[in-house]
């Protein structure tokens, strides 16, 4: 029988619990003060995941009273058996906590909200609290990854990106691949979980639709995974990093300025950098080459198709080029949802469709540019401006152009002295002088998150009266 309100007991309501929502079963015992073992068996507590609103998950406990000790023990064994049958639920996790992200809340979020749920679900954890940038990366290169079912990162987008990069780099090393130049990367060996504790938390928003640590934790515990596309960012000679999204121009200059003012509190720093970059708004002179995603034309006749293929001379690389002065260039393999852009910075792409959104903002007035930026927070289309162009692509090359003529040499020196053109890759600042080549690799990593097709098919249910 259900414990709780007497009126509920009188109505003898039946509740159906789906075992796919249950993550822990415990025996309820009454013990005397100081008693460590044994005790009177009171019943069983079932811990399950509850859908509060559209995307929010919370945990709740259901208490079942004891009819007889044997009855109780056999139910307990049976329920534990069902739980152990869910193969894709993690039993051991490597956890990275970035204590300096956002308002330095990651440590508190992990130990207060996340760790107790992992413990309840019987998940073993190995925690590294990172001490410097690149710490997670160096740990991932060395650690025994096969001992874990997944890796979890508690922090902001920069921390998550570093861990994802580390996981993928490790996968290439383990596969004996050259990590300087990666043309066909191998998949990450284990899934990555994202617990939001940063400022924008784009990855968490995109995966869970919400910034909520408990929701993220429950998706990890229940083993909900989703295959996600990843980009490689390279110069002609070397791999710079793996990532999900990047900005060149305004989005990168803002981040570069914010990084110079690290002494400010994070939200103030970001607002200041945004306003200052907007005040000094200047376009980048560059050349963009891109390979559009070819949609197969199933309806064209066989004869036409062979003719088309002949004209391509067997080469499927139909590169396109645009040159000009661009205020911002975004290259995104995922929709990039956040509180500032509820529909996403790139709503025309999805987590795993094997393509990237290339969004180019041509030079325009500050007033018009602000109008475009404001649209991200509304339901209106932020791309319906004459100066904004969007493309669906597989590859992009960004080549900054230095002005020719007598000043060219001087410009070259200034550029290299500054460490050159800033790039914002998943909220991390990267400076690169040469051409940057971005390629998308379909479903390269599994992230813990919502994917309704992927929920456990076992419909084992437990009726409790």
């Amino acid at each position: 029988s259900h414990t709780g309100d007497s009126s509920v007991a009188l109505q003898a309501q039946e509740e159906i619990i789906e075992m796919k929502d249950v993550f822990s079963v415990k025996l309820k015992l009454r013990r005397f003060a100081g008693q460590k073992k044994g005790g009177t068996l009171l019943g069983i507590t079932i811990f399950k995941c509850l859908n509060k609103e559209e995307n929010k998950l919370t945990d709740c406990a259901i208490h079942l009273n004891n009819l007889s000790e044997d009855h109780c023990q056999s139910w307990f064994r049976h329920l534990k058996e069902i739980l152990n049958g869910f193969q894709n639920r993690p039993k051991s996790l490597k956890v990275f906590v970035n204590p300096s992200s956002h308002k330095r809340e990651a440590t508190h979020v992990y130990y207060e909200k996340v760790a107790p749920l992992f413990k309840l679900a019987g998940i073993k954890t190995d925690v590294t609290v990172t001490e410097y940038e690149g710490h997670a990366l160096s740990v991932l290169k060395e650690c025994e990854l096969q001992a874990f079912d997944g890796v979890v990162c508690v922090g902001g987008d920069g921390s998550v990106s570093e861990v994802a990069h580390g996981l993928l780099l490790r996968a290439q090393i383990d596969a004996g691949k050259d990590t300087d130049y990666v043309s066909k990367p191998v998949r990450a060996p284990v899934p990555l979980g994202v617990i939001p504790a940063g400022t924008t938390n784009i990855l968490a928003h995109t995966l869970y639709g919400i910034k909520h640590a408990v929701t993220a934790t429950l998706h990890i515990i229940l083993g909900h995974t989703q295959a996600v596309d990843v980009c490689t960012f390279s110069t002609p000679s070397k791999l710079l990093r793996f990532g999900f999204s990047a900005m060149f121009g305004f989005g990168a200059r803002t981040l570069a300025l914010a990084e110079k003012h690290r002494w400010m509190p994070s939200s103030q720093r970001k607002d200041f950098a945004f306003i200052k970059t907007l005040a000094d708004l200047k376009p980048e002179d560059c050349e963009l080459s891109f390979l559009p995603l070819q949609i197969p034309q199933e309806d064209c006749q066989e004869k036409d198709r062979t003719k088309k293929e002949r004209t391509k001379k067997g080469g499927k690389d139909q590169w396109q080029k645009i040159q000009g002065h661009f205020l911002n260039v975004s290259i995104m393999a995922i929709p990039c949802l956040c509180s500032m852009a509820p529909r996403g910075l790139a709503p025309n792409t999805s987590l795993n469709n094997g393509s990237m959104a290339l969004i180019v903002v041509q030079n325009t007035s500050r007033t018009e540019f602000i109008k475009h930026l404001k649209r991200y927070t509304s339901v209106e289309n932020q791309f319906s401006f004459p100066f904004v162009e969007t493309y669906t692509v597989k590859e992009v090359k960004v080549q900054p152009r230095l002005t020719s003529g007598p000043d060219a040499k001087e410009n070259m020196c200034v550029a290299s002295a500054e460490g050159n053109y800033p790039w914002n890759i998943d909220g991390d600042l990267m400076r690169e002088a040469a051409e940057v080549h971005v390629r998308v690799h379909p479903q390269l990593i599994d992230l813990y998150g919502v994917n309704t097709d992927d929920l456990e098919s076992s419909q084992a249910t437990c009726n409790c009266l």
Side-chain angles (χ1 to χ4, degrees):
S1 102
H2 231 235
T3 61
D5 196 301
S6 55
S7 62
V8 175
L10 284 172
Q11 288 163 19
Q13 286 186 341
E14 183 179 89
E15 182 178 341
I16 290 182
I17 299 169
E18 289 203 55
M19 286 304 288
K20 70 177 179 62
D21 299 327
V22 173
F23 63 90
S24 184
V25 182
K26 300 279 182 205
L27 287 172
K28 230 179 4 158
L29 297 160
R30 179 188 287 140
R31 287 181 180 150
F32 299 112
Q35 190 180 356
K36 292 276 190 292
K37 284 184 175 178
T40 315
L41 189 53
L42 300 176
I44 296 173
T45 303
I46 292 173
F47 295 90
K48 65 169 273 205
C49 174
L50 203 65
N51 248 343
K52 267 282 169 81
E53 292 141 28
E54 218 175 306
N55 300 311
K56 198 177 197 178
L57 303 180
T58 52
D59 56 304
C60 76
I62 291 162
H63 304 291
L64 305 178
N65 281 350
N66 172 16
L67 290 176
S68 81
E69 294 220 359
D70 290 351
H71 185 92
C72 217
Q73 290 285 4
S74 82
W75 265 94
F76 179 68
R77 277 196 305 276
H78 182 56
L79 293 173
K80 287 288 272 189
E81 221 168 89
I82 295 173
L83 287 189
N84 290 335
F86 291 119
Q87 291 304 314
N88 54 347
R89 293 190 180 182
K91 302 209 168 29
S92 173
L93 292 169
K94 173 73 201 154
V95 180
F96 291 97
V97 179
N98 177 4
S100 58
S101 65
H102 191 36
K103 295 172 182 166
R104 307 191 181 280
E105 63 192 27
T107 318
H108 172 79
V109 165
Y110 180 71
Y111 288 107
E112 298 294 314
K113 296 179 178 174
V114 181
L117 286 171
F118 282 164
K119 189 180 176 191
L120 194 57
I123 297 171
K124 291 193 186 79
T125 53
D126 180 47
V127 183
T128 297
V129 177
T130 56
E131 290 164 23
Y132 52 88
E133 202 177 317
H135 188 175
L137 185 60
S138 57
V139 171
L140 279 167
K141 280 185 181 172
E142 302 299 321
C143 83
E144 295 287 326
L145 262 185
Q146 58 273 26
F148 304 105
D149 301 315
V151 171
V152 171
C153 178
V154 189
D157 289 320
S159 324
V160 176
S161 184
E162 182 187 321
V163 172
H165 172 66
L167 256 182
L168 283 160
L169 209 55
R170 175 64 190 268
Q172 312 319 307
I173 294 166
D174 289 351
K177 287 189 170 257
D178 174 12
T179 52
D180 279 342
Y181 185 77
V182 181
S183 59
K184 287 200 171 142
V186 294
R187 292 191 93 231
V190 291
L192 169 62
V194 179
I195 309 276
T199 320
T200 44
N201 304 290
I202 279 172
L203 260 162
H205 269 283
T206 309
L207 286 165
Y208 317 122
I210 191 171
K211 179 195 173 178
H212 188 238
V214 170
T215 297
T217 309
L218 289 168
H219 279 300
I220 294 167
I221 289 171
L222 295 173
H224 299 162
T225 58
Q226 154 110 277
V228 177
D229 299 341
V230 181
C231 306
T232 46
F233 296 88
S234 318
T235 64
S237 58
K238 70 174 198 292
L239 170 78
L240 299 169
R241 66 180 295 160
F242 290 95
F244 302 95
S245 65
M247 283 187 277
F248 179 75
F250 179 78
R253 284 180 177 276
T254 305
L255 179 65
L257 191 60
E259 287 298 312
K260 276 186 182 169
H261 293 77
R262 273 249 163 230
W263 50 271
M264 286 184 177
S266 73
S267 53
Q268 265 180 279
R269 175 172 79 231
K270 287 188 171 158
D271 289 348
F272 162 78
F274 182 82
I275 292 160
K276 182 96 173 71
T277 311
L278 208 49
D280 304 337
L281 192 63
K282 52 175 174 281
E284 305 288 355
D285 183 4
C286 65
E287 177 182 283
L288 301 175
S289 320
F290 57 90
L291 188 57
L293 187 74
Q294 298 295 334
I295 313 300
Q297 291 177 301
E298 296 304 331
D299 53 352
C300 73
Q301 293 169 354
E302 198 58 46
K303 197 167 71 178
D304 288 352
R305 195 180 290 151
T306 44
K307 187 176 159 193
K308 266 190 181 141
E309 277 163 11
R310 257 205 315 277
T311 55
K312 283 186 191 174
K313 288 221 169 15
K316 57 182 192 312
D317 285 9
Q318 295 290 299
W319 284 85
Q320 294 185 20
K321 252 183 205 180
I322 47 174
Q323 292 182 344
H325 291 78
F326 308 122
L327 288 176
N328 194 58
V329 176
S330 299
I331 303 164
M332 297 177 166
I334 62 170
C336 296
L337 274 65
C338 60
S339 52
M340 295 297 289
R343 291 183 312 118
L345 298 173
N348 306 353
T349 191
S350 72
L351 283 167
N352 50 18
N353 61 356
S355 71
M356 302 180 287
L358 169 63
I359 302 155
V360 182
V361 182
Q362 304 268 11
N363 196 12
T364 185
S365 69
R366 188 181 291 110
T367 316
E368 287 297 298
F369 185 61
I370 291 170
K371 273 189 203 165
H372 159 66
L373 292 180
K374 275 188 173 168
R375 285 265 182 102
Y376 278 99
T377 58
S378 73
V379 292
E380 287 182 273
N381 182 353
Q382 65 265 40
F383 308 128
S384 60
F385 289 96
F387 54 86
V388 181
E389 289 163 26
T390 61
Y391 307 90
T392 303
V393 300
K394 287 192 293 186
E395 294 187 43
V396 184
K397 289 176 182 171
V398 180
Q399 175 94 58
R401 292 192 308 171
L402 294 161
T403 48
S404 51
D407 305 334
K409 258 190 185 153
E410 198 180 312
N411 277 358
M412 196 75 179
C413 296
V414 170
S416 44
E418 281 181 357
N420 223 1
Y421 300 93
W423 276 79
N424 176 343
I425 297 180
D426 297 328
D428 261 358
L429 184 65
M430 187 183 77
R431 291 190 173 274
E432 211 39 63
E435 168 191 298
V436 174
H437 186 178
V438 189
R439 277 197 303 262
V440 68
H441 305 278
Q443 307 190 4
L444 200 57
I445 193 168
D446 287 328
L447 296 180
Y448 287 108
V450 192
N451 189 348
T452 45
D453 309 332
D454 214 44
L455 297 178
E456 292 98 333
S457 56
S458 167
Q459 289 300 308
T461 58
C462 146
N463 286 0
C464 51
L465 268 171

